């Protein structure tokens, strides 16, 4: 028997001014699209903006449904849009932000497990790490250097 430690490096920024100009602009796009999320049931609004290697920015937000499981998270709405429109273009950077009508979101909101799995598929497919930045409405921003940092031991095609 042996025990292994899997470590994840995260970078914590105190505010958006510490981000590069490129990431600030991307986070701005995520904030803009966050505001048009359709989230009448949770009141929790999530926006995502993806910078592709061809310079395109793809944005998306969460879409809820009266039949709750039929709704979808912002990250998957966005990655499937990117994959549909630009199937051969690599994703470089992802910016995610969340807000709530119930109380201010001051902590960075990490993508849920289902979104990590969905995003991980595309990082593996493209063979290049994707940087992920996530934040609330205010407060710190967290960055991971890749999806595999966010989802170690992901399920992938090698298991099939
Ligand atoms: N949500 C996202 O859009 N992304 C996540 O990673 C976690 C949760 C959405 C789904 C739902 O509309 C609302 O946030 C509350 O769970």
């Amino acid at each position: 028997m042996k025990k292994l430690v899997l470590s994840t490096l995260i970078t914590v920024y105190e505010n958006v001014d510490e981000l590069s100009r490129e990431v600030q602009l991307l986070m701005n796009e995520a904030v803009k699209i966050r505001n048009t999320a359709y989230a009448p049931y949770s009141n929790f609004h999530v926006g995502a903006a993806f910078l592709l290697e061809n310079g395109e920015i793809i944005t998306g937000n969460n879409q809820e449904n009266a039949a709750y499981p039929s709704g979808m998270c912002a990250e998957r709405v966005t990655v499937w849009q990117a994959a549909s429109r630009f199937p051969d273009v690599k994703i470089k950077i992802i910016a995610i932000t969340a807000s709530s009508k119930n109380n201010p979101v001051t902590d960075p909101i990490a993508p849920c497990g289902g979104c990590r799995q969905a995003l991980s598929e595309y990082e593996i497919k493209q063979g290049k790490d994707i940087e992920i930045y996530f934040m609330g409405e205010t407060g710190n921003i967290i960055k991971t250097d890749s999806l595999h940092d966010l989802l170690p031991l992901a399920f992938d095609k090698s298991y099939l």
Side-chain angles (χ1 to χ4, degrees), residues 10-132:
I10 64 167
T11 310
V12 183
Y13 300 87
E14 275 187 19
N15 55 59
V16 281
D17 297 333
E18 290 185 354
L19 302 172
S20 69
R21 191 79 195 114
E22 182 180 55
V23 177
Q24 280 183 32
L25 290 173
L26 198 63
M27 196 52 94
N28 256 343
E29 292 301 314
V31 169
K32 270 197 253 166
I33 201 79
R34 186 187 79 195
N35 295 326
T36 55
Y38 178 59
Y41 305 105
S42 71
N43 286 325
F44 194 76
H45 294 221
V46 184
F50 288 34
L51 176 64
L52 308 188
E53 280 198 339
N54 64 358
E56 287 278 344
I57 292 178
I58 310 292
T59 58
N61 53 31
N62 52 325
Q63 296 294 318
E64 296 188 348
N65 195 286
Y68 291 0
S70 298
M72 189 44 68
C73 292
E75 295 89 333
R76 273 176 277 180
V77 166
T78 314
V79 76
W80 290 332
Q81 206 187 140
S84 306
R85 293 182 55 204
F86 301 100
D88 301 321
V89 182
K90 292 179 182 172
I91 301 164
K92 206 171 140 193
I93 307 174
I94 295 177
I96 304 161
T97 174
S99 66
S100 169
K101 285 190 176 165
N102 301 335
N103 48 310
V105 179
T106 55
D107 290 320
I109 301 299
C112 75
C115 286
R116 293 180 204 197
Q117 179 64 37
L119 293 168
S120 162
E121 178 76 21
Y122 297 95
E123 182 174 272
I124 293 166
K125 175 175 173 265
Q126 71 181 31
K128 190 165 178 205
D129 289 352
I130 304 172
E131 289 177 21
I132 303 130

